[in-house]
Structure formats: C-alpha cells, structure tokens
Amino acid sequence: MHIDIYNILKPNLSYYLFLFCVVVVSNLQSQNKQLRAYTLEDGLPQSQVYAMSLDSKGYLWLGTQGGGLARFDGNDFKVFNNTHGLASNYIQAIKTSNDTLYLGTQKGLSIKIKDVFHNTDCPQVNEILRFGHIVYLLTNKGVYKLNKGLSVEKIQLHSKLDTSQINDLVFDGDYYWIATKNGLWKLSALNSEANTITQLDFNNYIDLVILESKIFASTFNDGTLVIEAQNFEDAHLIRDPFRINSISIQNSNQLWIATDNEGVSVIDSETYKELFTIKSTNGLSTSHVRGVLSDQQGNIWIGTSGGGFYKYFQNSFKHYNTDTGLKGNRIYAVHHNKRGVWVSNSEAGLMRIDHMGIHEIELPETFTDVKIKTITSDKNGNIWAGSDGKGLLFKGTVLIDSIVIDTLKASKKRLPIEQIKTKILNTKTGFPFDWIRTIHTENDTVWAATYSSGIVKFNYNPEQDNLTIYKTYSSFEGIEDQYIKDMVKDNQDRLWYATQNGHLGYLKGNQITHLGLVLDQDISINSILVQNNTIFLGTAGNGIWWSDVSNSSVFKKLKGAKTLSSENSYQLIFDDQGYLWVGSERGVDKIELSKENEISDVFFFGRNDGFLGIETCLNAIDNDDKGHLWFGAINGLTEYQPTNISRNPKTPKLFLEDVKVAYKSIDTINLSVWSNSDKVLRLNPNQRQVSFSFKTIDIDHPNGIEYRYKLNDSDWSHWSTNNTQDFSELNYGAHDFNVQSRNYRWLESDPTRFSFYIEKPLLKKVWFQWTLIGIGGLILVLSIVQYIKRLKHKNVKEQERLQLENHLLTLEQKALRLQMNPHFIFNVLNGIKAMAPTKPEKMNDTVNSFAILLRETLVNSRKDKISLDQEIKTLKHYIEVERLMAEEPFEFDIVVKTDLDVEEILIPPMLIQPFVENAIRHGILKGPRKGELKVQFETIKEMLMVTIEDNGIGIYNSQQQKPKTDHQSMALKVTRERLESISGKGALEIKETKQNDGTIEGTTIVFKIPLETDY
C-alpha cells in the first residue's frame, strides 16, 4: 500500500502562523528586561517619582508627589517630609551641591543643610540650576535667584517671561535658552538689559539639553526640535514621541525622551532614529515616565508616575518567571539535553525551554501537583523526574511501527513511527519507594537516591513496560546515613553520594564504601561536584570543601584572597571557562581558582546585578551546549549568557557622616572640608569620648562595603561592615583617626583622616606642674629653715623627755615582772603551811626547793633577758615545788626543738611560769586522771614558739568551777599584757583539746615571741 506522506504531514498555515506568533511573543517576553524596580515594598515613600539627583557622595535623592524626599543608598531609604521641616511633600526639582540640597516644591524652595531644612516662599519651583556661584529657580512665574541670606529675588527679564511658567534653561556659551509653557526664548544675558531677548517659538516647551553644538528642545505635544545654535531656521524636528515630560543625554550620544504615555524612547543623536523603547510592554509597570538619570556606575535610573523608579543596566542574565510564561516561580530542578532546558515549576509540573519558547509538558493528572526535586535524561533522551511522595516519572518515546513513502518514483523509504510514553513508577506500580531526591542514568541503568531509604538500582524498558529492580543499597549494604542530598559519578566509575548529616561515600560495582564524616563535623552536605580529579562538597553553613579523588578521606576548606558571599552552598557547577559557580541564598558567586585550588577572585551577582532569582534552590543547576548556565531559584529561572559586558568598578569614595563628642554631634564644622586637611578639632579635657560615623555608597552592592580604621600609629583594624567607631577615655594630646573602605571587588578607597586634640587639665600641663613644683620647693625650703630653728631650740628638752620616757618604760617593764612575785610567793607559802601538821619531811624538801627557786626568781627578775637554758632550769625547780605540794603526783616533760644552743637563745624572764602554774593548779590538780604536763620550745624562722599542754579538766570548766569572788590569776593577766607588748595583740592562743567523742582531755596554750640570741 502506498501512502502520500505529503498529504499526511502537510502543514496547516494558520496553525503555524499562530505557533510562530506564540513563540515570538514568548521569546520576547522571556528576555531579561535589564530593569530592577523599586517600589513601596522596598521602602519608597510614594510611587510618583518626579525628581531625581545624585550627590557627590553617591546618594540618590528622590522627590515624590506626596511622600516627600527619599535618600537611597542602594539598599535602604531614608525619608524626609514635612514632619522633618520640609515645606511641602510635593517635590518638582532637586539640585545637590556638596552637603547642601536644594528642593523645588509646590510651596517654593526648601534648602536642606545637613539635617535642617530652611524654607523660602516663592511660586512653585520647576527646576533648579546653578551657573557659577548663583543658584537660579525656574518657577511658575518667572526666574528667581537665591541670595546669600537664603532669601530669593525675582529676576526681571521680560514682561512675558516674568509671568510665564519656566520649565528649563541652558547656556551654550553665548546665549541662554529658556523653555517656557508659552514658547522658546533666546537671551544674551539673564537680565532685562540683555542685547538679545527673542521669542523663537510659541509651543509648550518642556525641557532642553545641549550636545556639542546642538540644542535639543522638546515640546509637550509636538516632538523635539534639534537646533544648531547659530541657525534656528534649519532646525530639524523629531516628530515622535509626543507628550514629553523630560529629555536627557545618556551613554554619551543617546537622547532619552521620557513621556507620560509611551515610556522612554531612546534616539540616536546623529541619525535621529529610534534605537529602542522602554515601556510597560517590556518591563515598566507604567508608561508614565517623569525623568531619567545616570549614576557613577553606568546605571540609568528611570522615575515614573505610579510605578516607583527603576534601574536600567547591562548584564549577562536572562530571567524567566510567571510574567514570562512559567507556571510558577519556584524552580526545584533544572536539566538540559538536546531538546532544551527542562525545569520543574513549583507544584505546577514540568516546563521545557528551547529556541522556540517556553512549553508546558503534559503530565498525568496524579503528577501535576507535586514537587519535582530532580530531573535527568537517559542516553535516548528520555526524561526521568523524581518527586516528593509520588515516585518517579518516565517520559519518552517508543517505536510502535513504520511507514513506507515514495521519495522518487523509483525508490521507497521506510520511516519509524514513534509514540510518546509516560509512566509513573511508585509503590503502586512496583517501585519500592515514593520519595526521590536525585537520579543518575547510565546506558540502560538508573540509580535513584531516596530521601531516607538508600539508593535503588533498576532498569525500565518502556517498549515492554517492564521494571527490573536490581538492588537496593541501604544500611545493610553499608550506607550508615541514608538521608542522601546529592549523587554524582566520577571518571573512575564511582557513584558518590552525600548526606544530610555530613556523611560521604561511593558505590562502585556492587560495593558500598562509606567514608563517614569526612569533614569531622555534623553538617549537611548539600551538593557534590567532581571536576577532573577533584571532588568538591558544598555545605549548609560551612562553605565549600575539596579533596583529591585519590585521597578522598582528607578534605580542605576552599579559601583564598577573597571570601564567598555566603557560607551556604546550594549549587555547584563549572562553566566552560573553568570558573566555579556557587549558588546560595544571596545569589551566585563566580570563583576563579588557582592550580592549587585556592580562591584567586570572586565575582558576586545578586539582584542588583541582574540575578533576580535571589535564593537558589538545591542542585537546580545545569550547563547547556552553548555554555550557558541555568540557575533555579525561589523567584524564577535565570540563564547566564557569557558576554563581553564589562563594568569595571570604580574606586570607592569614603566620607565622614558624623563626628560626636561626648555623644553630641559636632554641627559647627563641615566634615568634608576638615577631612584630610590641616584643621584640628580642639577639645577640652572633659571631652575624651569621641565617636565617628563613616560611609561609602555603592548603589549596586551596598552590602559589599567593608571598613577598617586605626587611631594614631596603631595597626589597622580588621575589615568589617561596621561603619561606626567609638573611643572613650582617650589620652590627652593629639590624635589622628584614619578610616578606609573597600567595595565588593576589594578595591580600596583613599584613607580619610580626621585630626583632633584633647587639651590636658591644668594640673597635667607641664608649665603648671613646674610652677607648682617651684612654689612647693620654696615653701619647703622656708619650712625646713624654720623647722631647723625650732629643732635647735627644743633639742635639749626633747632629749630630756626621751630619756625620761625610756627610764619610765624600763621601770614599767621591771614592775610588770615584779607583779607576779608576791602572788607566787603567797601561793607557795600557803602550800608549805598546809604540809606542816601532816608532812613535815615533805615540807622540808619543799622549803629547800622553794629557796632555790626564790633565789633564781629574784636574780632573773632584775634582768631584761635571760637564756632559754636558765628559764628551763627555773621552770624545772618551780614544777618540782608544785609536785611536792600536790596531793597526787603528776608527770612533766620539757622538750626543746631547735638547731641553736639553748644558752644562746634569750627570752624575757618569768614569761612562761604563770602559764605553767595555771596548767598545774587549775588543770592537772583538778582533773580526774593522773596529771601530765608538757612544755615545748621550738624555733620557727625568726620566732620562738612555746607550747604548754596539760591533761586537766579544761580551761573553760576550770573557770566555771571558780567561786564568784575568785578572779582570773593576776600573774596570767600580767603575763598576757607582757606578751602583747612584745608580740602584739593576738599573740596568745588558748584552746581546749578534745577526744573524738567530744570529751575534754586538756588545755593547750601556744604563743610566739621574736627570736633573740646573744651573738
């Protein structure tokens, strides 16, 4: 049977025309519009931006209609309105000059000097200009100038001009050109006596610009007139666009015309042809544009009425989202094959992007509302997609038949007939698991890593609809952590896997090699990348690590001269030029690596650089056959197209925002003038607290600015994002505060220096100190002279007084020693008297011993010092007397512990006897057991320590048993006084000794006296 294939495949013209239109529109809409919008959601106070200006510091100033004034630093808005002193919240014009801001409002002129507004009444100001030192105001009723006292004065030009709405004014070197609502004027001078005052046209002229010898004069509704300065008659009219709000020259030779209904039209200033337009159909939310402004980085800012303002810039990124044809903005997975780029589209299924546009992929109903977390394709181009909870999706083609066609009458050709095959593999259809993290295909084999159940190796034959499970690798096969995050194969046929808990391993053949925590920390490994013989690991919170594949147990952190924008690494890929790209929550980093895998340079791309997706999604990244990179993010899909666009960053400018002394701002000086100058701020001695605020403005990368500082000759501090520094309790004298900034490319600013001097207090000034020293010295000399005179006069009396005091002191010491003798004698005689009736023999021995003791006592009491040997002999005689008088005998022992000769050690006489007497009479003799007395002398360093121990009833029991009329022994009291005079208060320590059960077993007396010898 012969079939006419031409009739079968004959295209429908209307269908292809429709398809072409859809593809072209889709392709145009998917282009990166190179616009970044700033609206109320970003902090803009009002969406109608009627005036813009850039100051010398880099701040962008915005005047709104009802929201007041906004200052923008690339990241934050600071708003000023009538509550801050602004005359009106409706601003028509802005002019910046150093630290002064001139604002044209509906109520006149407002001048912002630092943070204070000065308001002057005049008609509504439409434009503010400065020629030389004079500031001109173009108002609804003529031209005004600003006087030095911040008052305004009207300039009388011409009766018609003085009552007209003045919109713009330019000077070509010879003449002033004035655009008014009632026409275009040419003047030779800005006064009524000008030689030339001519009205050239009567249309409503809105704006003027000069480019070389040409003057571009735009009307509101009749196009733009191009005038040669000396030949108005041959002027050229650019008819389109109409309804013009403003014009400006951008990119050297482009005329940018802002309209209130067609956005911005860009005109070639030489050919007058339209180059392109920017309006609501290609990026703006509204086509009502009020003005255009260029900044120092080459960006062009577009102010709109109702849509906020936009940044227009060149970049290498193309962005796709719901506005350009995607079904959702969150891109979980990205994969490229020969048919295009495949992306998972939130929970809205699959999309494919090719040169024809964006195509939605038809999926089974049960697979349209799931998260597809991974996409890959096999050798036949079939698509495999893994999901959360719904298993695997296979989508490909199968051969079902073939047909024969006539190519020529003499020959035939057989063509295959293919059919699309879609299959879901899950637990319902025989696949063991439904939660799939990532997939790898090779020939006819597929490996699927699950969320928490290991890796499944299988094969699926779509023509026979046959599923074969080869093996599941889990904990039984050696995968200790089955929460797998990524999987990749190297050139040695090893299938590497990384886990959520920081484990790493690989599968080769059918053998699992689990390496465990290769980073020595429990941190999630988000992604794996194998490049040549190096394996890279991207972590959650600890940067990127790398290792040689042959020694994969040792990993090093990726470091170098620069740091990454984030320590969270969600995506890793190398481009065709050898750069390593890292996706994070902030955007993407392009890393230049050395041969030693050290970071040589880092290029960061965020929202301000065209990477509009912002936070990238885990492993949603691929490289297509053109070398383009595709990044999946939470805000859409971004394509990176390598180009020659180069935006060389400029050296940052640093300025001091504020200087505070004692927590109060110094408002009396101009910081820009004082910085890096010979001026020195002089502070009084109480002003030792000084703080500095400093700033570098980078509209494109406001968060990439870092600062360092130093005071005087100290070392520079570490780089940080902190832009304030406080100093307290500073030293008196001269100080230099130095600060420096660097931008995101690490280009450093010139250091900024601020000098100040803290006066010393009067008391710390050298001249005052020397004066005080001189006066004090003179007074001292006079005092010494007078003192010597008085000393000589009183010397004799003083000597007599000292001699008398010394003699009295000697007598007092002897009297103290003699106080105890009567008491001692009284006690002994009473004892002898008691022995007379019953023990006459014992009485005789006692009288003999007492006579010897008495003689020694009388001899010793006349001496200031006696030897320790003599004191021991006297003590022995005394104790013998007491033993003879005692009814019950007791034992005693005298111990000496010293390396010195006892005859060389000197002590005060009769110092120890009272304590021994007290131990015998009030301790041992009253005790229930046989008495024991121990006296010990021990030398310790420069002291003689005396210890007296007895086994009597204890000192406190003894005191309680005394009758109320019996007072403490006079000898003990006198001896305590002697000790205190020799060794000071607290020299004597008396304590009871106790057994383990708390029973009193005696008393211990310890005291120390200074050690003296006779040599």
CSV table of all heavy atoms in Angstrom, one decimal, residues 403-438:
chain,number,residue,atom,x,y,z
A,403,ILE,N,6.3,3.3,8.4
A,403,ILE,CA,5.5,3.5,7.2
A,403,ILE,C,6.5,3.7,6.0
A,403,ILE,O,7.7,4.0,6.2
A,403,ILE,CB,4.6,4.8,7.3
A,403,ILE,CG1,5.5,6.0,7.5
A,403,ILE,CG2,3.6,4.6,8.4
A,403,ILE,CD1,4.6,7.3,7.5
A,404,VAL,N,6.0,3.4,4.8
A,404,VAL,CA,6.8,3.5,3.6
A,404,VAL,C,6.3,4.7,2.8
A,404,VAL,O,5.1,4.9,2.6
A,404,VAL,CB,6.7,2.2,2.8
A,404,VAL,CG1,7.5,2.3,1.5
A,404,VAL,CG2,7.1,1.0,3.6
A,405,ILE,N,7.2,5.5,2.3
A,405,ILE,CA,6.9,6.6,1.5
A,405,ILE,C,7.7,6.6,0.2
A,405,ILE,O,8.7,5.9,0.1
A,405,ILE,CB,7.2,7.9,2.2
A,405,ILE,CG1,8.7,8.0,2.6
A,405,ILE,CG2,6.4,8.0,3.5
A,405,ILE,CD1,9.1,9.4,3.1
A,406,ASP,N,7.2,7.2,-0.8
A,406,ASP,CA,7.9,7.4,-2.1
A,406,ASP,C,8.7,8.6,-2.0
A,406,ASP,O,8.2,9.7,-1.9
A,406,ASP,CB,6.9,7.5,-3.3
A,406,ASP,CG,6.2,6.1,-3.5
A,406,ASP,OD1,6.9,5.1,-3.3
A,406,ASP,OD2,5.0,6.1,-3.9
A,407,THR,N,10.1,8.4,-2.1
A,407,THR,CA,10.9,9.6,-2.2
A,407,THR,C,11.0,10.0,-3.7
A,407,THR,O,11.0,11.2,-4.0
A,407,THR,CB,12.3,9.3,-1.7
A,407,THR,OG1,12.8,8.2,-2.4
A,407,THR,CG2,12.2,9.0,-0.2
A,408,LEU,N,11.2,9.1,-4.6
A,408,LEU,CA,11.1,9.2,-6.0
A,408,LEU,C,10.3,8.1,-6.5
A,408,LEU,O,10.0,7.1,-5.8
A,408,LEU,CB,12.5,9.2,-6.6
A,408,LEU,CG,13.5,10.4,-6.2
A,408,LEU,CD1,14.9,10.1,-6.8
A,408,LEU,CD2,12.9,11.7,-6.7
A,409,LYS,N,9.9,8.2,-7.7
A,409,LYS,CA,9.1,7.1,-8.3
A,409,LYS,C,9.8,5.8,-8.3
A,409,LYS,O,9.2,4.7,-8.2
A,409,LYS,CB,8.6,7.5,-9.7
A,409,LYS,CG,7.6,8.6,-9.7
A,409,LYS,CD,7.1,8.9,-11.1
A,409,LYS,CE,6.1,10.1,-11.1
A,409,LYS,NZ,5.6,10.4,-12.4
A,410,ALA,N,11.1,5.9,-8.4
A,410,ALA,CA,11.9,4.6,-8.5
A,410,ALA,C,12.3,4.0,-7.2
A,410,ALA,O,12.9,3.0,-7.1
A,410,ALA,CB,13.1,4.9,-9.4
A,411,SER,N,12.1,4.8,-6.0
A,411,SER,CA,12.6,4.3,-4.7
A,411,SER,C,11.6,4.5,-3.6
A,411,SER,O,10.7,5.3,-3.8
A,411,SER,CB,13.9,4.9,-4.4
A,411,SER,OG,13.7,6.3,-4.2
A,412,LYS,N,11.7,3.8,-2.6
A,412,LYS,CA,10.9,3.9,-1.4
A,412,LYS,C,11.7,4.0,-0.2
A,412,LYS,O,12.9,3.5,-0.2
A,412,LYS,CB,10.0,2.7,-1.3
A,412,LYS,CG,9.0,2.5,-2.5
A,412,LYS,CD,8.1,1.3,-2.3
A,412,LYS,CE,7.2,1.1,-3.5
A,412,LYS,NZ,6.4,-0.1,-3.3
A,413,LYS,N,11.2,4.6,0.9
A,413,LYS,CA,11.9,4.7,2.2
A,413,LYS,C,11.0,4.4,3.4
A,413,LYS,O,9.8,4.8,3.4
A,413,LYS,CB,12.4,6.2,2.3
A,413,LYS,CG,13.4,6.3,3.5
A,413,LYS,CD,14.0,7.7,3.6
A,413,LYS,CE,14.9,7.9,4.7
A,413,LYS,NZ,15.6,9.2,4.7
A,414,ARG,N,11.5,3.7,4.3
A,414,ARG,CA,10.7,3.4,5.5
A,414,ARG,C,11.0,4.3,6.6
A,414,ARG,O,12.2,4.5,7.0
A,414,ARG,CB,11.0,1.9,5.9
A,414,ARG,CG,10.1,1.4,7.1
A,414,ARG,CD,10.3,-0.1,7.3
A,414,ARG,NE,9.8,-0.8,6.2
A,414,ARG,CZ,8.6,-1.2,6.1
A,414,ARG,NH1,7.7,-0.9,7.0
A,414,ARG,NH2,8.2,-1.9,5.1
A,415,LEU,N,10.0,4.9,7.2
A,415,LEU,CA,10.1,5.8,8.3
A,415,LEU,C,9.5,5.2,9.6
A,415,LEU,O,8.4,4.7,9.5
A,415,LEU,CB,9.4,7.2,8.0
A,415,LEU,CG,10.0,8.0,6.9
A,415,LEU,CD1,9.2,9.3,6.7
A,415,LEU,CD2,11.5,8.4,7.2
A,416,PRO,N,10.2,5.4,10.8
A,416,PRO,CA,9.7,4.8,12.0
A,416,PRO,C,8.5,5.7,12.5
A,416,PRO,O,8.5,6.9,12.3
A,416,PRO,CB,10.9,4.9,13.0
A,416,PRO,CG,11.7,6.0,12.4
A,416,PRO,CD,11.6,6.0,10.9
A,417,ILE,N,7.6,5.1,13.2
A,417,ILE,CA,6.5,5.8,13.8
A,417,ILE,C,6.7,5.6,15.3
A,417,ILE,O,6.8,4.5,15.9
A,417,ILE,CB,5.1,5.2,13.4
A,417,ILE,CG1,4.9,5.3,11.9
A,417,ILE,CG2,4.0,5.9,14.2
A,417,ILE,CD1,3.6,4.7,11.5
A,418,GLU,N,6.8,6.8,16.0
A,418,GLU,CA,7.1,6.8,17.5
A,418,GLU,C,5.9,7.3,18.2
A,418,GLU,O,5.0,8.0,17.7
A,418,GLU,CB,8.3,7.7,17.8
A,418,GLU,CG,9.6,7.3,17.2
A,418,GLU,CD,10.7,8.2,17.6
A,418,GLU,OE1,10.4,9.4,17.9
A,418,GLU,OE2,11.9,7.8,17.5
A,419,GLN,N,5.8,6.8,19.4
A,419,GLN,CA,4.7,7.2,20.3
A,419,GLN,C,5.2,7.7,21.6
A,419,GLN,O,6.2,7.1,22.2
A,419,GLN,CB,3.7,6.1,20.5
A,419,GLN,CG,2.5,6.4,21.3
A,419,GLN,CD,1.6,5.2,21.6
A,419,GLN,OE1,2.0,4.1,21.6
A,419,GLN,NE2,0.3,5.4,21.6
A,420,ILE,N,4.6,8.8,22.2
A,420,ILE,CA,5.0,9.3,23.5
A,420,ILE,C,4.6,8.3,24.6
A,420,ILE,O,3.4,7.9,24.6
A,420,ILE,CB,4.5,10.7,23.7
A,420,ILE,CG1,5.0,11.7,22.7
A,420,ILE,CG2,4.8,11.2,25.1
A,420,ILE,CD1,4.5,13.0,22.8
A,421,LYS,N,5.5,8.0,25.5
A,421,LYS,CA,5.3,7.1,26.6
A,421,LYS,C,5.5,7.8,27.9
A,421,LYS,O,6.5,8.4,28.1
A,421,LYS,CB,6.2,5.9,26.5
A,421,LYS,CG,6.1,4.9,27.7
A,421,LYS,CD,4.9,4.0,27.6
A,421,LYS,CE,4.9,3.0,28.7
A,421,LYS,NZ,3.7,2.1,28.6
A,422,THR,N,4.4,7.8,28.7
A,422,THR,CA,4.5,8.4,30.1
A,422,THR,C,4.2,7.3,31.1
A,422,THR,O,3.2,6.6,31.0
A,422,THR,CB,3.5,9.5,30.2
A,422,THR,OG1,3.8,10.5,29.2
A,422,THR,CG2,3.7,10.1,31.6
A,423,LYS,N,5.1,7.2,32.1
A,423,LYS,CA,4.9,6.1,33.1
A,423,LYS,C,5.3,6.7,34.5
A,423,LYS,O,6.4,7.3,34.6
A,423,LYS,CB,5.8,4.9,32.7
A,423,LYS,CG,5.7,3.8,33.8
A,423,LYS,CD,4.4,3.0,33.7
A,423,LYS,CE,4.5,1.8,34.6
A,423,LYS,NZ,3.2,1.1,34.6
A,424,ILE,N,4.5,6.3,35.5
A,424,ILE,CA,4.8,6.7,36.8
A,424,ILE,C,5.3,5.4,37.6
A,424,ILE,O,4.5,4.4,37.6
A,424,ILE,CB,3.7,7.4,37.5
A,424,ILE,CG1,3.3,8.7,36.9
A,424,ILE,CG2,4.0,7.6,39.0
A,424,ILE,CD1,2.1,9.4,37.4
A,425,LEU,N,6.5,5.5,38.1
A,425,LEU,CA,7.0,4.3,38.9
A,425,LEU,C,6.9,4.7,40.4
A,425,LEU,O,7.7,5.6,40.8
A,425,LEU,CB,8.4,4.0,38.5
A,425,LEU,CG,8.7,3.7,37.0
A,425,LEU,CD1,10.1,3.4,36.8
A,425,LEU,CD2,7.8,2.5,36.6
A,426,ASN,N,6.1,4.0,41.1
A,426,ASN,CA,6.0,4.2,42.6
A,426,ASN,C,5.6,2.9,43.3
A,426,ASN,O,5.6,1.9,42.6
A,426,ASN,CB,5.0,5.4,42.9
A,426,ASN,CG,3.6,5.1,42.3
A,426,ASN,OD1,3.3,4.0,42.0
A,426,ASN,ND2,2.9,6.2,42.0
A,427,THR,N,5.3,3.0,44.5
A,427,THR,CA,5.0,1.8,45.2
A,427,THR,C,3.7,1.1,44.7
A,427,THR,O,3.6,-0.1,44.9
A,427,THR,CB,4.8,2.1,46.7
A,427,THR,OG1,3.8,3.2,46.9
A,427,THR,CG2,6.1,2.6,47.4
A,428,LYS,N,2.9,1.8,44.0
A,428,LYS,CA,1.7,1.2,43.5
A,428,LYS,C,2.0,0.4,42.2
A,428,LYS,O,1.2,-0.5,41.8
A,428,LYS,CB,0.6,2.3,43.2
A,428,LYS,CG,0.1,3.0,44.4
A,428,LYS,CD,-1.0,4.0,44.0
A,428,LYS,CE,-1.5,4.7,45.3
A,428,LYS,NZ,-2.5,5.7,45.0
A,429,THR,N,3.1,0.8,41.5
A,429,THR,CA,3.4,0.1,40.2
A,429,THR,C,4.7,-0.7,40.4
A,429,THR,O,5.2,-1.1,39.3
A,429,THR,CB,3.6,1.2,39.1
A,429,THR,OG1,4.7,2.1,39.5
A,429,THR,CG2,2.3,2.0,38.9
A,430,GLY,N,5.1,-1.0,41.6
A,430,GLY,CA,6.2,-1.9,41.7
A,430,GLY,C,7.5,-1.3,42.2
A,430,GLY,O,8.5,-2.1,42.5
A,431,PHE,N,7.6,0.0,42.2
A,431,PHE,CA,8.9,0.6,42.6
A,431,PHE,C,8.9,0.7,44.2
A,431,PHE,O,7.8,1.0,44.8
A,431,PHE,CB,9.0,2.0,42.0
A,431,PHE,CG,10.4,2.6,42.1
A,431,PHE,CD1,11.4,2.2,41.2
A,431,PHE,CD2,10.7,3.5,43.1
A,431,PHE,CE1,12.7,2.6,41.3
A,431,PHE,CE2,12.0,4.0,43.2
A,431,PHE,CZ,13.0,3.6,42.3
A,432,PRO,N,10.0,0.4,44.8
A,432,PRO,CA,10.0,0.3,46.3
A,432,PRO,C,9.7,1.6,47.1
A,432,PRO,O,9.3,1.5,48.2
A,432,PRO,CB,11.3,-0.3,46.6
A,432,PRO,CG,12.2,0.1,45.5
A,432,PRO,CD,11.3,0.1,44.2
A,433,PHE,N,10.0,2.8,46.5
A,433,PHE,CA,9.9,4.0,47.3
A,433,PHE,C,9.2,5.1,46.5
A,433,PHE,O,9.3,5.0,45.2
A,433,PHE,CB,11.3,4.5,47.7
A,433,PHE,CG,12.1,3.4,48.4
A,433,PHE,CD1,13.2,2.8,47.8
A,433,PHE,CD2,11.7,3.0,49.7
A,433,PHE,CE1,13.9,1.8,48.5
A,433,PHE,CE2,12.4,2.0,50.4
A,433,PHE,CZ,13.5,1.4,49.7
A,434,ASP,N,8.7,6.1,47.2
A,434,ASP,CA,8.0,7.2,46.5
A,434,ASP,C,8.7,8.5,46.7
A,434,ASP,O,8.4,9.5,46.0
A,434,ASP,CB,6.6,7.3,47.1
A,434,ASP,CG,5.7,6.2,46.7
A,434,ASP,OD1,5.9,5.6,45.7
A,434,ASP,OD2,4.7,5.9,47.5
A,435,TRP,N,9.6,8.6,47.6
A,435,TRP,CA,10.3,9.9,47.8
A,435,TRP,C,11.7,9.9,47.2
A,435,TRP,O,12.6,9.1,47.7
A,435,TRP,CB,10.4,10.2,49.3
A,435,TRP,CG,9.1,10.4,50.0
A,435,TRP,CD1,8.2,9.5,50.3
A,435,TRP,CD2,8.5,11.7,50.3
A,435,TRP,NE1,7.1,10.1,50.8
A,435,TRP,CE2,7.2,11.5,50.8
A,435,TRP,CE3,9.0,13.0,50.2
A,435,TRP,CZ2,6.4,12.5,51.3
A,435,TRP,CZ3,8.2,14.0,50.6
A,435,TRP,CH2,6.9,13.8,51.1
A,436,ILE,N,11.9,10.6,46.1
A,436,ILE,CA,13.1,10.5,45.3
A,436,ILE,C,13.9,11.9,45.4
A,436,ILE,O,13.3,12.9,45.1
A,436,ILE,CB,12.8,10.2,43.9
A,436,ILE,CG1,11.9,9.0,43.8
A,436,ILE,CG2,14.1,10.0,43.1
A,436,ILE,CD1,12.5,7.7,44.4
A,437,ARG,N,15.1,11.8,45.9
A,437,ARG,CA,15.9,13.0,46.0
A,437,ARG,C,16.7,13.3,44.7
A,437,ARG,O,16.7,14.5,44.2
A,437,ARG,CB,16.9,12.8,47.1
A,437,ARG,CG,18.0,13.9,47.3
A,437,ARG,CD,17.4,15.2,47.7
A,437,ARG,NE,17.0,15.2,49.1
A,437,ARG,CZ,16.6,16.3,49.7
A,437,ARG,NH1,16.3,17.4,49.1
A,437,ARG,NH2,16.3,16.2,51.0
A,438,THR,N,17.4,12.4,44.1
A,438,THR,CA,18.2,12.6,42.9
A,438,THR,C,18.3,11.4,42.1
A,438,THR,O,18.2,10.2,42.6
A,438,THR,CB,19.6,13.2,43.3
A,438,THR,OG1,20.3,13.6,42.1
A,438,THR,CG2,20.4,12.2,44.1
